[in-house]
Amino acid sequence: MFLTKLALKNLIRHRNRTLITACIIAAAVFLYLIFDSLIAGMTDMSYDTLIDYETGHLQIVHRDYWAEEEKLPLEDLLSLEELATLSQVDGEVARSPELAFPARLSNGMNELPVVGKGIIPDEFLRIFPLEDKFVAGSMFALGEYKAVMGKRLADLLDLQVGDFITLLVRDKNETFNTIEAEIGGLIHTINANVNQNVVYVPLDIAGHALAVPEKVSKVIIKLEDKNGAPRIAREIEARLPAKIGAYPWNELEAITFAGAKNAGIMVMTTILLVIAAIAIVNTVILAALERMGEIGMMKAMGLQEKELIYLFVTESVGIGILGGLAGVLLGLIGVALLVRIGIDWSAQTGVDMSSFGIPVLGTMYGSWNPLAFLRIFCFSLIVSFFASIPPAYWAAAKDPIEAIEYR
Amino acid sequence: MALLELKGVTKVYQQGKIEVPALRGIDLTVEAGEFTTLFGPSGSGKTTLLNLVGCLDKPTGGTILFDGQDLAALSKKELAMIRREHIGFIFQSYNLIPVLTAYENVEFAIRLVNKHSDREIKDKVMGILAAVGLEGLENRRPNELSGGQKQRVAIARALVKEPKLVLADEPSANLDSKTSEEVLAVMAKMNRELGTTFIFSTHDPLVMDYARRLLEIRDGVITLDRRRDEAIVSH
Ligand SMILES: Nc1ncnc2c1ncn2[C@@H]1O[C@H](COP(=O)(O)OP(=O)(O)OP(=O)(O)O)[C@@H](O)[C@H]1O
Ligand SMILES: [Mg+2]
């Protein structure tokens, strides 16, 4: 108790050194929190980009189809008739069926592999807010031999609204077929996949060309609250035959920044560790050198080495608490600004980040992650604790006579 | 039983490859309650001897019995425990803890002994501070005290736990003669009232007048050991 009191008094007495070291730790904590928030923000945004343009909040899919989804098979499809019996679920805003198929897009001279998607335009637009993403033309209606695609994809094949395209496909019986269509509209979104790889056509036309009329690969559902997705998915599954599954958005494979996040956090954590540890080691050594006489006297008075170590370690942890708290406070402010105001990259660089697959159009926002605050605070305590032990040990092991005579 | 018994104690310092003999065979017995001055020229071995009997260092040869216990047999920790409970140190450079008040500096020493209630601690600390003449200055920090006052705090700190032995290495070296007389008078008073054994080293002839036993040390051997019934300056 007395030693703890003494440690606190030393911290107050050597105010400047305490503050400088605490500031270094605070800066490291702050940097970490900002970085974490931005990465988490990018992950959120990439999820939102998927939810808003590709996956919706929930998908109803045949379980066997789900397992093979990347091949976009024409097996294990759902029938529209069957699906019509599934009444609206609580919290559902809209639903849209989709028939996805692999295709080769041709302008008559060149070809590109694309993903074709047969959709019902009205229902599709209720889920994906594409109306204001048209840079030319507009959405088609059912029954029209028209297509909508990304402006970037169109540019690759030198296509414009009004031009005719051919989609080369294989139908359900593996027979080659084509869909001839006029380009009805070109879109530009923040989803690079939609911009570059997808061609939308009316569902009825696709179904006919693929020999799977009235069938779809999946039904996409939009909810009032995306966090309700896992619960509603379970409700829907209970009402459907066992072979059909309902998959919430968080089970879909997003372009998560999880990899970048983990690597980044490793780097940040290491940097924090090194910076904080150096600051602490330095502080303890300085304190010990300055207080050699005191250390000698305390040892002469019969203080055990472990008590002296306790004294120095307590001082360091005190600095760690101070720096950690200050860093967390600054972090709260910084992250709040990132969440509310964000960083406008395109204004800074003039580059459209979405062309790199980074789903950022305009402003990039941070994300709240309370766990990160807790984690980094504990971490700064742990570092200040462990970093102080070796120098404290060194100081405590000093010979009392030499320490007293030390000048 | 004598408080201290030294037999053939030698101490050789190793300075690189050179061996520096600091003590060359000290035989000495100190009884409880003695007030002893150790004097001799610079480099004669006074500090070395005090460090040895103070359990801060180990002799190269010979034996030291403290209260009948052979110090050579004790570990570092056990030596620290002896210092904590039974030995008080007063150094010429005071070595007070700057962030603690006079009261707290003294309190620290008695808290380490861990034998007393909070109430007793308060009474003892206030009592000893009054006895060394620091009444009213309890809440001052060392930097708010004069040299003499600081040395009084150091004396109070050494005495508060009522140790068996107090070692003072040139306690008056940083003090003017008037202040050092005052400080010595305080130590003599404590010796009389509490029966605490004092050994102090000094160059100062004035200091010697306070002692009832004079030890002269030269080149690491005791060359004079004289007791007198009364100190020249009566306490
Ligand atoms: N740590 C050490 N290493 C090497 N030699 C030492 C060491 N400490 C003391 N000595 C030597 O031992 C001898 C005795 O020193 P000591 O400090 O005991 O003398 P002293 O009587 O206290 O002198 P002073 O009056 O100057 O304080 C001296 O020759 C000194 O140089
Ligand atoms: Mg000396």
Side-chain angles (χ1 to χ4, degrees):
Chain A
M1 215 33 232
F2 194 88
L3 287 175
T4 311
K5 208 170 90 185
L6 177 56
L8 290 182
K9 290 191 175 195
N10 277 327
L11 285 182
I12 296 167
R13 167 76 172 218
H14 304 281
R15 206 176 298 119
N16 289 348
R17 188 166 52 215
T18 302
L19 287 181
I20 289 171
T21 313
C23 279
I24 294 171
I25 293 174
V29 167
F30 174 76
L31 280 177
Y32 172 91
L33 288 172
I34 293 297
F35 185 81
D36 181 84
S37 172
L38 277 178
I39 297 276
M42 278 163 77
T43 305
D44 281 1
M45 214 179 290
S46 87
Y47 267 120
D48 288 347
T49 308
L50 277 175
I51 290 171
D52 289 350
Y53 297 100
E54 288 187 72
T55 66
H57 291 134
L58 203 66
Q59 302 192 350
I60 297 174
V61 187
H62 195 291
R63 290 190 192 281
D64 295 336
Y65 181 92
W66 185 253
E68 304 266 298
E69 203 198 358
E70 49 301 15
K71 293 188 208 146
L72 304 175
L74 294 172
E75 305 289 333
D76 303 314
L77 300 180
L78 307 173
S79 94
L80 280 176
E81 203 178 344
E82 201 177 355
L83 286 164
T85 62
L86 180 70
S87 56
Q88 183 170 352
V89 288
D90 247 7
E92 173 182 336
V93 173
R95 63 173 82 172
S96 167
E98 176 181 294
L99 175 61
F101 52 95
R104 299 188 70 79
L105 169 66
S106 165
N107 61 1
M109 285 162 63
N110 298 311
E111 280 181 21
L112 278 177
V114 295
V115 173
K117 286 190 175 177
I119 56 169
I120 300 174
D122 295 343
E123 296 179 5
F124 181 82
L125 289 178
R126 248 179 280 143
I127 291 196
F128 301 114
L130 281 181
E131 283 103 333
D132 58 346
K133 299 293 183 282
F134 277 88
V135 292
S138 59
M139 186 49 92
F140 45 71
L142 271 185
E144 286 187 310
Y145 281 87
K146 283 193 175 172
V148 165
M149 68 179 80
K151 171 87 166 67
R152 184 160 291 121
L153 177 60
D155 287 347
L156 287 175
L157 288 177
D158 235 354
L159 293 166
Q160 274 148 28
V161 172
D163 289 351
F164 281 86
I165 57 159
T166 306
L167 285 170
L168 298 147
V169 297
R170 272 187 210 220
D171 72 10
K172 188 173 173 12
N173 312 312
E174 298 288 309
T175 313
F176 283 101
N177 200 352
T178 58
I179 301 172
E180 310 277 345
E182 179 189 346
I183 296 180
L186 298 177
I187 53 177
H188 184 62
T189 71
I190 64 171
N191 182 314
N193 192 41
V194 168
N195 291 346
Q196 235 151 260
N197 295 324
V198 182
V199 176
Y200 298 98
V201 292
L203 179 63
D204 48 352
I205 290 174
H208 183 73
L210 298 164
V212 285
E214 300 295 306
K215 297 258 167 129
V216 295
S217 333
K218 58 175 72 167
V219 174
I220 295 169
I221 294 181
K222 184 174 175 179
L223 301 174
E224 280 161 11
D225 172 17
K226 79 174 180 184
N227 296 321
R231 181 180 51 81
I232 294 171
R234 266 177 274 122
E235 276 172 30
I236 291 176
E237 281 188 343
R239 288 159 55 181
L240 287 170
K243 61 182 171 45
I244 300 176
Y247 300 90
W249 61 273
N250 54 318
E251 284 178 26
L252 309 173
E253 266 188 50
I255 323 155
T256 61
F257 282 76
K261 187 172 179 174
N262 287 339
I265 280 172
M266 286 278 283
V267 171
M268 285 304 286
T269 308
T270 312
I271 292 173
L272 172 73
L273 184 115
V274 171
I275 294 175
I278 290 175
I280 286 286
V281 168
N282 182 52
T283 305
V284 175
I285 290 178
L286 278 180
L289 287 176
E290 192 184 83
R291 290 188 226 147
M292 265 312 164
E294 269 174 68
I295 293 171
M297 189 62 220
M298 289 194 273
K299 290 198 82 167
M301 283 165 70
L303 218 71
Q304 302 282 3
E305 289 187 10
K306 61 171 194 277
E307 293 169 310
L308 272 165
I309 292 172
Y310 173 82
L311 183 66
F312 282 105
V313 169
T314 305
E315 287 187 39
S316 298
V317 172
I319 294 175
I321 291 175
L322 211 66
L325 280 180
V328 162
L329 265 169
L330 287 174
L332 280 172
I333 297 168
V335 171
L337 290 177
L338 277 181
V339 170
R340 294 223 179 141
I341 298 168
I343 300 175
D344 190 347
W345 288 108
S346 55
Q348 309 272 324
T349 59
V351 177
D352 176 4
M353 303 284 273
S354 69
S355 53
F356 302 116
I358 298 172
V360 180
L361 202 65
T363 309
M364 184 168 152
Y365 292 95
S367 170
W368 280 112
N369 183 3
L371 256 177
F373 285 81
L374 191 70
R375 190 188 311 125
I376 195 63
F377 181 70
C378 293
F379 199 67
S380 59
L381 294 198
I382 291 169
V383 168
S384 48
F385 176 79
F386 282 104
S388 66
I389 287 179
Y393 199 89
W394 164 81
K398 282 275 168 216
D399 180 59
I401 300 170
E402 281 171 30
I404 286 173
E405 286 167 1
Y406 183 90
R407 290 283 180 277
Chain B
M1 184 178 51
L3 178 64
L4 277 174
E5 242 183 295
L6 284 70
K7 284 191 207 114
V9 169
T10 59
K11 178 72 187 178
V12 180
Y13 289 109
Q14 200 72 38
Q15 215 165 35
K17 286 197 172 136
I18 309 161
E19 293 193 335
V20 184
L23 297 177
R24 307 163 184 262
I26 303 278
D27 296 302
L28 176 68
T29 305
V30 177
E31 302 294 336
E34 283 192 320
F35 195 78
T36 304
T37 295
L38 194 58
F39 69 99
S42 187
S44 54
K46 301 183 294 295
T47 299
T48 305
L49 183 57
L50 290 185
N51 288 342
L52 290 181
V53 301
C55 304
L56 287 172
D57 205 356
K58 293 204 163 193
T60 313
T63 55
I64 303 176
L65 301 184
F66 182 95
D67 220 9
Q69 199 168 22
D70 186 356
L71 294 183
L74 301 180
S75 70
K76 241 174 149 181
K77 268 191 191 166
E78 289 167 322
L79 290 174
M81 289 316 287
I82 290 195
R83 293 199 299 270
R84 185 184 274 229
E85 293 195 16
H86 302 306
I87 302 178
F89 289 93
I90 301 164
F91 295 99
Q92 93 180 46
S93 49
Y94 327 124
N95 288 307
L96 300 178
I97 294 167
V99 296
L100 300 180
T101 62
Y103 179 93
E104 290 164 334
N105 264 286
V106 177
E107 182 191 3
F108 194 2
I110 194 163
R111 288 252 177 228
L112 285 177
V113 177
N114 202 16
K115 273 205 299 228
H116 308 281
S117 69
D118 282 2
R119 181 77 242 158
E120 284 172 333
I121 288 176
K122 181 143 201 258
D123 289 347
K124 280 176 185 290
V125 174
M126 292 308 277
I128 199 82
L129 281 170
V132 299
L134 288 175
E135 228 162 343
L137 302 179
E138 294 88 358
N139 292 323
R140 297 234 185 138
R141 296 259 169 78
N143 63 350
E144 299 160 340
L145 295 169
S146 71
Q149 288 168 336
K150 277 189 247 193
Q151 197 59 304
R152 286 163 197 252
V153 176
I155 293 169
R157 177 175 62 184
L159 288 170
V160 69
K161 59 192 179 188
E162 291 165 25
K164 292 181 173 156
L165 177 63
V166 172
L167 301 169
D169 196 1
E170 310 199 30
S172 61
N174 284 345
L175 305 175
D176 60 56
S177 59
K178 184 171 170 290
T179 314
S180 59
E181 275 205 70
E182 285 169 14
V183 165
L184 278 162
V186 167
M187 289 200 272
K189 180 176 147 216
M190 294 296 144
N191 166 251
R192 212 171 49 231
E193 288 176 2
L194 301 173
T196 313
T197 313
F198 277 83
I199 305 177
F200 50 100
S201 79
T202 189
H203 289 288
D204 185 352
L206 176 110
V207 174
M208 293 173 228
D209 293 347
Y210 277 83
R212 271 172 296 159
R213 183 178 183 188
L214 293 171
L215 288 170
E216 187 187 37
I217 183 166
R218 279 177 186 275
D219 280 336
V221 288
I222 291 174
T223 50
L224 176 108
D225 182 355
R226 205 175 79 211
R227 288 171 207 255
R228 52 192 178 208
D229 294 337
E230 277 301 316
I232 292 169
V233 175
S234 65
H235 301 160

